[in-house]
Amino acid sequence: MRRLIINADDFGLTSGVNRAIVEGNRSGIVTSATLMANAKAFVEATGLVKAQPGLKTGCHVVLIDGAPLSADLPTLANGSSRFRSSLKQFALDAVRKRIAAEEIQRETEAQIRKIQACGITLTHVDSHKHTHMFPQVLRPVLRSARACGVRAVRNPFEPWRSWPHSMVLGSPGLWFRSAAVMAFQMFASDFRRALKEEGMLSTDGTVGIAATGMLDQQILLKILNALPEGTWELVCHPGYSDVDLQAAGTRLIQSREIELAALTSAETQEAIAHQKIELISYADL
């Protein structure tokens, strides 16, 4: 049996992203989205969630890029009013234990509770740019989620066996991304151990991470056709390329419309039916 959560990240980033995520749920295969509590289009997104009960919602915890909700975060905000903008620097500081776990837990809980205060029931948490993959970040994120009554989290590791090898070999742009994704596998065992010890739920892994920014119709079909047995998450980033998105500081601009087209195409829905993939959300775990 193959079950698949299709989660759209960055809900709340811009109105164009919000509109695309809702469209992906109404007309396509998106079953879930994760909401950014500190994003500019957050209020609009919360209204859309309430009007779209079939779109299950989690918290997209932001610890890099943007501004925190909490005050007094000397290590997490790196002495400024904003988070680090470099994932490489964040990773180095996290691994070297230069970011206080207490600050991560406090900020994560603030973001989760802000969403819950809007009357939204959260199904899970994940993180912007998968920062919770690092063990020093994971534990405080899990503890914040548990304190807020959220019991599921994204498994941010994409196993090699889930990749269509012909897709990777046929796309030089995927080589670098694939190598980077594989390098982070060193943290996978820590993730599984923490999940068990903290009593949290997750999937067998996430697919589509290496294809971020390159997910088109062809690649999506190859991912679906190669999906292993088990319960998985497909991460995606649909959106509309507009002035707000171009000013949002994301590298994913034109690619979001390409993803939306693939997520809502009849060809994609036919492939899911043909492969007998059951679409679910984190609420079904």
Side-chain angles (χ1 to χ4, degrees):
M1 182 174 68
R2 291 180 293 172
R3 303 197 304 167
L4 183 62
I5 299 164
I6 300 180
N7 189 90
D9 286 3
D10 299 345
F11 201 21
L13 182 63
T14 67
S15 290
V17 168
N18 292 349
R19 189 168 76 254
I21 290 174
V22 170
E23 185 177 335
N25 177 251
R26 285 178 179 166
S27 306
I29 60 172
V30 174
T31 61
S32 173
T34 35
L35 183 55
M36 306 172 84
N38 64 344
K40 290 184 177 180
F42 168 78
V43 174
E44 178 192 69
T46 61
L48 292 171
V49 169
K50 294 174 183 178
Q52 193 76 10
L55 180 64
K56 302 306 179 182
T57 307
C59 177
H60 196 53
V61 177
V62 178
L63 301 175
I64 183 172
D65 296 330
L69 298 182
S70 308
D72 190 25
L73 301 173
T75 66
L76 186 56
N78 206 22
S80 73
S81 61
R82 297 182 65 83
F83 295 123
R84 295 164 178 78
S85 59
S86 165
L87 179 59
K88 180 180 179 180
Q89 188 60 55
F90 182 94
L92 288 172
D93 289 342
V95 171
R96 293 170 180 171
K97 300 182 179 180
R98 293 178 178 174
I99 303 177
E102 181 276 331
E103 294 178 23
I104 294 171
Q105 187 165 340
R106 180 157 47 92
E107 175 62 19
T108 299
E109 187 167 336
Q111 293 181 24
I112 293 172
R113 292 199 184 282
K114 180 179 178 180
I115 298 172
Q116 292 175 325
C118 295
I120 294 171
T121 299
L122 293 176
T123 58
H124 69 294
V125 298
D126 58 29
S127 62
H128 184 49
K129 297 187 178 178
H130 313 291
T131 52
H132 72 289
M133 77 175 76
F134 304 111
Q136 296 78 8
V137 178
L138 177 63
R139 290 284 185 167
V141 167
L142 294 182
R143 288 166 183 166
S144 297
R146 285 184 58 202
C148 297
V150 181
R151 300 306 297 268
V153 62
R154 169 182 289 165
N155 179 340
F157 300 100
E158 184 170 17
W160 174 253
R161 65 191 174 96
S162 71
W163 296 349
H165 295 177
S166 61
M167 178 186 79
V168 176
L169 295 174
S171 176
L174 281 172
W175 295 350
F176 176 77
R177 290 279 308 173
S178 300
V181 168
M182 282 301 295
F184 289 127
Q185 288 290 335
M186 70 177 75
F187 302 122
S189 60
D190 290 303
F191 176 84
R192 290 190 294 270
R193 181 168 58 253
L195 206 68
K196 183 177 180 180
E197 291 175 358
E198 299 294 337
M200 297 287 285
L201 300 171
S202 191
T203 63
D204 294 314
T206 297
V207 297
I209 297 176
T212 298
M214 293 173 275
L215 187 65
D216 58 14
Q217 182 68 77
Q218 181 182 16
I219 291 176
L220 178 56
L221 291 177
K222 288 183 177 179
I223 289 174
L224 293 173
N225 290 335
L227 191 70
E229 292 289 316
T231 300
W232 301 88
E233 177 184 355
L234 169 68
V235 61
C236 58
H237 300 81
Y240 283 102
S241 177
D242 53 22
V243 174
D244 288 339
L245 186 62
Q246 292 167 9
T250 174
R251 72 176 179 88
L252 306 178
I253 300 178
Q254 288 83 5
S255 65
R256 292 181 189 260
E257 293 191 12
I258 295 171
E259 288 194 25
L260 178 61
L263 292 165
T264 55
S265 75
E267 189 175 2
T268 296
Q269 297 187 49
E270 288 169 4
I272 287 174
H274 179 73
Q275 294 294 331
K276 298 181 180 178
I277 297 170
E278 180 187 359
L279 297 184
I280 64 169
S281 74
Y282 274 94
D284 298 307
L285 293 187

